[in-house]
Amino acid sequence: MKTKGAYLLLVLLIELGLLAFALAAAPQTCPANVEEGCSAASDDDWTGEFFPGIPKIKYEGPNSKNPLSFKWYNAEEVILGKKMKDWMRFSVAFWHTFRGTGADPFGAPTKMWPWEDGTNSLAMAKRRMRANFEFIKKLGLNRWCFHDRDIAPDGKTLAESNANLDEVVALAKELQGTEIRPLWGTAQLFMHPRYMHGAATSPEVAVYAYAAAQVKKAMEVTHYLGGENFVFWGGREGYQSLLNTDMERELDHLATFFQAAVDYKKKIGFNGTLLIEPKPQEPTKHQYDWDAATTISFLLKYGLKDKLKLNIECNHATLSGHSCHHELETARINGLLGNIDANTGDPQIGWDTDQFMTDISEATLVMLSVVRNGGLAPGGFNFDAKLRRESTDVEDIFLAHISGMDTMARGLRNVAKLVEDGSLAELVRNRYKTFDSELGALIEAGKADFETLEKKAMELGEPTVASGKQELAEMIFQSAL
């Protein structure tokens, strides 16, 4: 009986420990003045480095065995006429890097970083912001990106939420100095229960108004911090069932919302690009910005094509049944490639795993689109990627970013090989060389009607169709890796 009692006591203690850990990790609502019980810490109680023992990460070349070094990313090196840092314009994503807990639908958080006190207080938000900028500087980067509610806690009212955000943003402005700025900011319009039916597509007019107010504030602070873009990710802008949904009305509301954002951007003098991030589903059954082509069609229908561009996420591309390269090319050839979320998914898993990209082949295809686009500025690459649940060392945050940056850098170097060799581009040109004829020129100019084409078909007889040389194209591509 004593053994059984000891066992039950042990189980109880473990369960209490897990409960305490979960409660510590749970988000809290804090007013701007941090009422008693919301935080036990002052703003400046953390002393010393957040990442002691980790030096500024430097380029050491591909032969280096030092995991805390760049093997392929050399910021100042010129590739295809542009410095590598200017091709990449890398950005640290605050939410995954400093708010990721390792929790998943089946398990409690696994990460409690040394600087965390278990609250979502204003004091804790400021401490995280200090950690963020130390991390950015040690990586040698000068850009970051954020959701409003990730950097500052929700208040009991919209006014309190705005006050919280103002206080944290004031610190961020100070810590940025003159060298660092946001690649983009955004409003988190998907987590709070008020957005369960959507934000701009909610059937509740009060929710629509609240979302507009939240975007207004988020755009103001992004502008204040010198941000270069503003992103809309509509995780709840879609439906679970068409039986209770007026899809046409919701799409009209969404377009009106975007137009209002365009108008306010001009009003406050924000010159950044507005970006829509397509995703097919999750958390909704069907998102209205399913993929690049769907989003472009939406922009065309509502006269917004010249007012917004796309932020393509590679993991979202695969969820929609496309390759990342396909989505990038669809955006690029329509003049709408504005930014890239540098991540990937697991082909064996059917959800948004947000992993750091480590596939050299995929990175090369991504960079092929970027080079064809002439770069991404004022957009760039943001690491919308998180550590695996089982990676719990502070050092892992650096290792993941170093790996992701080096992977994209290898992709760029491989594209340079393909461009300098020229064989792949020549193969593509040869496939379409018959259009470099008088008839081809007429067709491409829209001056060849069906009667003219019928006459030419009679003259030319049965066409001789050449090989597509796909295997050769793949061989050339692989040789660059």
Side-chain angles (χ1 to χ4, degrees):
M1 291 298 292
K2 287 184 178 181
T3 302
K4 184 177 180 181
Y7 174 76
L8 291 173
L9 178 61
L10 178 61
V11 170
L12 178 61
L13 288 172
I14 291 172
E15 289 181 347
L16 287 172
L18 287 172
L19 177 61
F21 187 67
L23 289 172
Q28 299 181 21
T29 296
C30 302
N33 61 359
V34 191
E35 293 174 350
E36 185 179 358
C38 196
S39 174
S42 64
D43 294 350
D44 57 359
D45 67 332
W46 184 271
T47 58
E49 291 185 86
F50 290 91
F51 305 99
I54 297 180
K56 184 172 181 179
I57 309 302
K58 297 180 181 179
Y59 173 72
E60 294 184 5
N63 294 325
S64 174
K65 301 299 181 184
N66 176 14
L68 293 172
S69 70
F70 295 120
K71 320 300 187 300
W72 302 95
Y73 177 66
N74 186 7
E76 299 295 327
E77 184 178 349
V78 176
I79 304 283
L80 296 176
K82 192 180 297 188
K83 289 183 178 180
M84 193 172 279
K85 67 179 183 181
D86 296 326
W87 279 116
M88 302 305 187
R89 293 170 58 83
F90 285 131
S91 168
V92 171
F94 188 92
W95 57 99
H96 281 322
T97 309
F98 292 98
R99 302 309 307 274
T101 65
D104 64 22
F106 303 96
T110 59
K111 300 171 178 53
M112 179 66 80
W113 303 126
W115 54 84
E116 289 285 339
D117 66 8
T119 73
N120 192 29
S121 68
L122 196 54
M124 189 62 246
K126 292 180 179 181
R127 188 188 295 173
R128 290 189 196 103
M129 192 59 68
R130 295 182 189 280
N132 174 54
F133 283 101
E134 182 181 315
F135 179 72
I136 290 171
K137 290 173 183 177
K138 286 196 171 187
L139 267 186
L141 300 182
N142 60 1
R143 289 179 178 84
W144 64 298
C145 50
F146 64 92
H147 298 82
D148 53 355
R149 297 300 183 256
D150 291 331
I151 64 172
D154 241 334
K156 294 178 180 177
T157 65
L158 180 60
E160 284 187 352
S161 295
N162 288 346
N164 288 345
L165 187 58
D166 283 338
E167 196 165 333
V168 175
V169 165
L171 175 62
K173 180 78 168 179
E174 175 189 332
L175 295 172
Q176 279 188 167
T178 58
E179 301 296 323
I180 302 174
R181 63 169 60 189
L183 180 65
W184 53 260
T186 188
Q188 188 196 80
L189 303 178
F190 50 87
M191 184 172 288
H192 196 282
R194 79 174 68 90
Y195 296 126
M196 66 179 180
H197 300 304
T201 59
S202 173
E204 302 291 339
V205 70
V207 173
Y208 186 99
Y210 199 108
Q214 192 174 332
V215 168
K216 173 182 177 290
K217 183 64 177 179
M219 192 179 295
E220 289 168 356
V221 300
T222 300
H223 181 36
Y224 174 71
L225 290 169
E228 298 173 279
N229 306 271
F230 189 86
V231 169
F232 295 91
W233 177 64
R236 304 285 178 186
E237 313 296 15
Y239 61 82
Q240 302 293 356
S241 171
L242 282 174
L243 292 174
N244 64 345
T245 301
D246 187 336
M247 184 164 64
E248 182 177 16
R249 199 170 188 183
E250 289 195 3
L251 287 168
D252 287 347
H253 291 170
L254 184 59
T256 302
F257 194 92
F258 284 138
Q259 183 59 58
V262 170
D263 294 341
Y264 193 66
K265 164 193 159 178
K266 294 177 182 177
K267 185 174 184 178
I268 65 174
F270 177 47
N271 295 320
T273 304
L274 302 185
L275 301 164
I276 297 176
E277 181 177 322
K279 186 178 181 182
Q281 55 207 170
E282 189 197 36
T284 53
K285 176 181 177 179
H286 183 102
Q287 267 182 230
Y288 291 134
D289 52 3
W290 181 273
D291 59 7
T294 304
T295 307
I296 292 167
S297 176
F298 169 86
L299 294 175
L300 286 168
K301 176 182 177 180
Y302 290 101
L304 294 167
K305 183 175 182 289
D306 296 330
K307 301 172 183 177
L308 296 99
K309 290 190 174 184
L310 304 189
N311 175 38
I312 300 298
E313 177 174 319
C314 289
N315 201 168
H316 293 178
T318 52
L319 290 177
S320 65
H322 305 304
S323 68
C324 188
H325 192 211
H326 168 89
E327 289 291 88
L328 293 173
E329 286 296 281
T330 301
R332 182 187 70 80
I333 64 177
N334 283 281
L336 294 177
L337 178 55
N339 194 81
I340 299 174
D341 277 13
N343 67 10
T344 192
D346 190 315
Q348 294 184 1
I349 299 176
W351 66 80
D352 196 7
T353 54
D354 284 336
Q355 296 171 235
F356 282 84
M357 187 181 293
T358 56
D359 186 319
I360 308 304
S361 176
E362 184 177 14
T364 303
L365 291 170
V366 168
M367 291 311 303
L368 195 57
S369 289
V370 172
V371 170
R372 287 171 176 170
N373 200 57
L376 293 170
F381 285 95
N382 62 276
F383 287 105
D384 187 6
K386 57 191 174 186
L387 294 179
R388 298 302 87 198
R389 174 177 166 80
E390 303 80 12
S391 299
T392 56
D393 291 341
V394 169
E395 179 190 56
D396 295 334
I397 308 175
F398 282 88
L399 297 175
H401 282 81
I402 291 167
S403 176
M405 292 166 70
D406 266 346
T407 298
M408 301 314 302
R410 287 188 71 176
L412 178 60
R413 292 179 185 277
N414 292 340
V415 171
K417 293 178 189 176
L418 291 170
V419 170
E420 290 160 6
D421 173 72
S423 299
L424 186 59
E426 182 62 23
L427 184 151
V428 175
R429 278 193 296 270
N430 281 334
R431 282 199 73 203
Y432 299 91
K433 66 183 179 182
T434 61
F435 276 87
D436 297 330
S437 61
E438 182 180 353
L439 178 58
L442 284 172
I443 293 170
E444 292 183 343
K447 296 179 180 179
D449 58 27
F450 274 10
E451 288 85 355
T452 301
L453 292 170
E454 181 187 41
K455 182 180 178 180
K456 285 293 183 182
M458 295 291 188
E459 293 176 4
L460 294 171
E462 184 63 30
T464 301
V465 181
S467 169
K469 295 294 183 184
Q470 179 179 331
E471 292 77 11
L472 177 57
E474 291 167 343
M475 183 185 296
I476 294 169
F477 177 79
Q478 291 294 330
S479 69
L481 306 185

